[in-house]
Amino acid sequence: MVVVISAPRRRRSPPWFGAETRRALVAGLAVAALAFAAGWPYWRDHAAAAAVSLVGTAGIAVVGALLATGARTRRTGLLFVAASLCWALNWLASWDTGPGPLLSPYAQADFYLALAAGVLLYPAGRLEYAADRIWTVFACAVLWGCPTALWVTSRPEWAAFRGRHVWWPAPFPDHAVFRVVLEVSAVLYIVLALSFAVVLLLRLPKMSRMRRAVTLPVTVALAFVGISAALTQRPIMEESISLDALLEVYAIQGAVVALVPLALLATGLRTRLAELAVAGRMLRLTAPPSVERVRDALRDVLHDPTLQLWFWAPAEEVYVDTAGRPVAGLDDGDPGGPDPGDPPEEGAGRWRRRVETAAGEPLAIVELAGALRDHGSLVEAALEAGGRALETARLQSNVQAGLEQVRSAYGRLLRAETVERERLARDLHDGAQQRLLALGAMLATLEALAVDPAVKDHARDCRKELMAALAELRALAHEVQPALLVQDGLGPALEVVAERLGTRVLLEVTGERYSREIESALYSVLCEALSYAVDRARATRVTVRVRPDGHRLVAEVSDDGERPGGQPGAVPDGLAGMAGRIRALRGHMEVDGDPTRGTTVRMVLPCE
């Protein structure tokens, strides 16, 4: 599903009176006309009952036609339209002739069955729970079996129909059996109504908060309708009831049934008010807009703390997260995910929606909880209200994506530098140092074998100079890549550095090992911080602490030196380059303390 952020367009008619609404009204009028014609013998003497029943029947048809236009509520809508037609045909009993009296009990049964099944399908579009399916099978058996048992075991006059041309097969009329059938049917209807109310109540705790708010009014209304129908059906489960009494019960049931469209109307109004409230909250929560603020606002208004938001970066042609990092797997296939009109598969927990600009260009992808599929209009209202904020946040995310590219490039450079340092240190150790050692051995041999004192002295001097050069070369190799850092980690490598400083240094370094890039980068910046503390700040005591903190590595360098002219909290000029390297590694650096009495430099690096 794609949400397009566009400017509002002018309408020639109110938005609530579109083609779908007009078709729904036509369907309602048609069903009302059918009910009027079917019940005319009774309506002509009962105008008030006619008005209430016809309005209720038309209301169910209108609501059903409107629900049928929605992808996920289509089945509920069609069942409601079928229920309204069944209720209209139910009034054929008022003619007291032909097949009408026989069809009327089945039409009444199908009305309640379609209405109940439609509510159980609402709003997911399927019977989600085992109790729903079990009750539906039980309802089919009761609502179709009881009318069949009635006409099989009775004569038409026993069931209130005394017309001369009533079509009533009555293959096995038996007055005693008929009375038993009436009693059993009355009990079954009450059990069916009460069990339906229980099924509706059992569904509520399993629903999400938003779905519960939508279904609760309809649940309460239909539970009341079902129980009322069972109770009002009890008086007509008597033998030799009059036709007027039977139709009066139908009229009472029709008046009660009018609560269903009213409940659905209230639900629709509540949903629309929720959409308006969501739009208003989005506008408030996203001012001023930022990447994190827009994401958090969507999480808040849609009550989904797991919501994820990815923005399209046109320069890189990839979606990036709120930190600017590229996210794989979002720009191929159908980023919008499954169509919300399709019933979700069992266990489907996430739902993705793609957002586009008015020009049709990709803007963002929102991943939401699967339960929000039933509230697509609410999600769309939130996204449309936050459209301008999304576009602004997209620009910020593109800047973050550019910075992320710089960080990634620096990370690659750092890895290449680490590999090159290791290669250079290895070449110095295995190449130049070994050659110089061999040359030193040759000079020692020459010194031992020489007879001429001048040659012997000269060989000794050359050997001394060679050993001094070899020591400098070893020191250079150690600076390039300390062997202890590779073999034993930060602690032993920093101990060697501390010994050469000539200042009291206290080391508290974790023994855990990290990646070569992290250890190499941290070793370099710590050496730089130690050098600054001793050479520039003239510190007499330095403390170095390195400790893990979750997925981060925290390093602190504290000294008692002075920084004349330094500002509290400001990064010293001599450490500016180090701060830049830390930021390039997605870390940060803080400076604390008084420049005249000592400073603490705190560095935090991610180490996932």
Side-chain angles (χ1 to χ4, degrees):
M1 175 61 69
V2 180
V3 178
V4 179
I5 306 300
S6 59
R9 290 175 292 183
R10 297 183 62 183
R11 297 176 179 265
R12 294 184 178 180
S13 60
W16 52 268
F17 196 69
E20 297 174 349
T21 304
R22 291 193 291 270
R23 284 194 293 268
L25 290 176
V26 170
L29 292 175
V31 172
L34 178 61
F36 183 78
W40 169 247
Y42 182 74
W43 301 138
R44 59 189 175 189
D45 297 324
H46 302 83
V52 174
S53 296
L54 294 179
V55 169
T57 306
I60 295 176
V62 170
V63 169
L66 290 174
L67 290 175
T69 61
R72 297 179 65 80
T73 58
R74 179 177 178 80
R75 295 175 182 175
T76 295
L78 293 177
L79 284 172
F80 275 26
V81 172
S84 66
L85 289 172
C86 290
W87 190 250
L89 295 175
N90 176 54
W91 289 99
L92 289 173
S94 64
W95 291 90
D96 199 15
T97 186
L102 182 64
L103 293 177
S104 176
Y106 288 103
Q108 182 191 36
D110 288 339
F111 164 75
Y112 285 113
L113 180 61
L115 205 62
V119 171
L120 293 179
L121 288 170
Y122 181 80
R126 64 191 180 97
L127 298 175
E128 296 183 279
Y129 310 110
D132 299 350
R133 296 187 285 271
I134 294 173
W135 185 90
T136 302
V137 174
F138 176 59
C140 291
V142 171
L143 294 176
W144 292 337
C146 289
T148 302
L150 287 176
W151 64 260
V152 167
T153 61
S154 70
R155 298 186 185 280
E157 58 269 17
W158 300 351
F161 302 109
R162 297 172 177 81
R164 295 179 58 187
H165 303 290
V166 174
W167 189 74
W168 195 274
F172 306 106
D174 188 299
H175 199 272
V177 175
F178 175 62
R179 293 186 63 181
V180 172
V181 169
L182 288 177
E183 293 295 333
V184 172
S185 297
V187 172
L188 287 177
Y189 286 148
I190 293 176
V191 171
L192 186 64
L194 293 177
S195 62
F196 181 67
V198 171
V199 168
L200 292 178
L201 292 177
L202 290 177
R203 298 172 80 227
L204 294 178
K206 301 176 184 178
M207 297 179 179
S208 64
R209 190 173 108 182
M210 297 180 70
R211 180 187 283 193
R212 195 181 304 122
V214 171
T215 58
L216 185 59
V218 183
T219 298
V220 173
L222 199 57
F224 178 75
V225 168
I227 295 174
S228 300
L231 295 177
T232 54
Q233 193 78 3
R234 183 66 180 85
I236 65 174
M237 293 290 103
E238 301 287 346
E239 54 181 318
S240 302
I241 188 176
S242 67
L243 181 59
D244 283 345
L246 174 68
L247 296 178
E248 183 179 352
V249 170
Y250 286 176
I252 294 174
Q253 292 178 351
V256 174
V257 164
L259 291 175
V260 175
L262 290 177
L264 286 168
L265 178 61
T267 299
L269 291 175
R270 181 174 182 176
T271 301
R272 182 54 183 159
L273 290 175
E275 293 174 6
L276 295 175
V278 160
R281 291 180 65 193
M282 277 296 298
L283 293 176
R284 291 194 303 272
L285 293 175
T286 56
S290 67
V291 175
E292 291 79 8
R293 190 184 292 270
V294 171
R295 181 199 60 195
D296 293 344
L298 287 171
R299 288 178 175 179
D300 182 71
V301 300
L302 296 177
H303 305 289
D304 181 10
T306 64
L307 181 145
Q308 295 295 330
L309 183 61
W310 301 294
F311 292 95
W312 175 251
E316 295 79 14
E317 295 187 348
V318 69
Y319 284 93
V320 297
D321 60 14
T322 53
R325 292 186 290 267
V327 181
L330 295 179
D331 53 347
D332 54 355
D334 180 13
D339 194 292
D342 300 331
E345 299 179 359
E346 197 70 34
R350 305 299 294 170
W351 176 37
R352 288 180 183 173
R353 298 195 72 172
R354 185 174 59 194
V355 184
E356 294 182 350
T357 64
E361 299 174 352
L363 178 59
I365 287 180
V366 184
E367 185 180 78
L368 313 104
L372 287 171
R373 289 174 179 272
D374 300 328
H375 310 281
S377 60
L378 200 65
V379 174
E380 187 172 350
L383 294 177
E384 288 185 350
R388 296 296 175 260
L390 282 170
E391 293 180 351
T392 303
R394 197 265 297 269
L395 297 177
Q396 297 178 5
S397 72
N398 289 345
V399 174
Q400 290 290 340
L403 293 176
E404 182 62 26
Q405 282 196 321
V406 173
R407 294 190 186 100
S408 299
Y410 185 80
R412 293 191 296 270
L413 180 62
L414 182 61
R415 288 190 291 271
E417 179 186 348
T418 301
V419 173
E420 187 63 22
R421 280 175 176 270
E422 292 178 358
R423 186 195 65 79
L424 183 57
R426 187 171 56 251
D427 289 348
L428 289 174
H429 180 271
D430 298 339
Q433 290 187 48
Q434 298 303 319
R435 287 178 177 273
L436 291 176
L437 286 173
L439 182 58
M442 293 172 62
L443 289 173
T445 302
L446 178 62
E447 179 184 356
L449 297 177
V451 178
D452 188 346
V455 174
K456 186 182 292 287
D457 293 340
H458 190 65
R460 185 183 303 112
D461 293 339
C462 288
R463 187 166 173 269
K464 288 181 180 179
E465 292 295 328
L466 181 62
M467 290 299 104
L470 183 59
E472 293 180 0
L473 185 61
R474 284 173 175 168
L476 177 61
H478 180 81
E479 293 292 336
V480 170
Q481 184 69 25
L484 280 175
L485 178 64
V486 177
Q487 297 172 4
D488 301 327
L490 278 171
L494 289 174
E495 288 178 2
V496 175
V497 175
E499 290 175 358
R500 298 203 309 264
L501 288 176
T503 301
R504 185 179 178 184
V505 179
L506 176 62
L507 295 176
E508 298 178 7
V509 182
T510 179
E512 296 184 23
R513 298 301 305 269
Y514 299 93
S515 65
R516 294 185 305 172
E517 294 80 7
I518 292 293
E519 290 187 344
S520 178
L522 193 57
Y523 174 80
S524 297
V525 296
L526 287 175
C527 287
E528 187 173 342
L530 285 170
S531 176
Y532 177 86
V534 174
D535 298 338
R536 301 282 296 276
R538 305 297 180 186
T540 59
R541 178 185 175 89
V542 183
T543 301
V544 178
R545 296 183 179 89
V546 180
R547 58 181 175 83
D549 183 15
H551 295 295
R552 303 182 304 171
L553 189 60
V554 181
E556 294 179 350
V557 180
S558 303
D559 64 70
D560 59 356
E562 297 183 358
R563 292 185 289 116
Q567 298 295 325
V571 178
D573 294 338
L575 300 180
M578 185 174 73
R581 290 199 299 274
I582 294 294
R583 286 195 298 270
L585 292 171
R586 300 189 185 93
H588 63 274
M589 188 175 82
E590 302 171 355
V591 178
D592 192 15
D594 190 338
T596 62
R597 292 194 300 269
T599 304
T600 297
V601 179
R602 186 172 186 266
M603 296 160 283
V604 180
L605 284 173
C607 57
E608 294 181 291

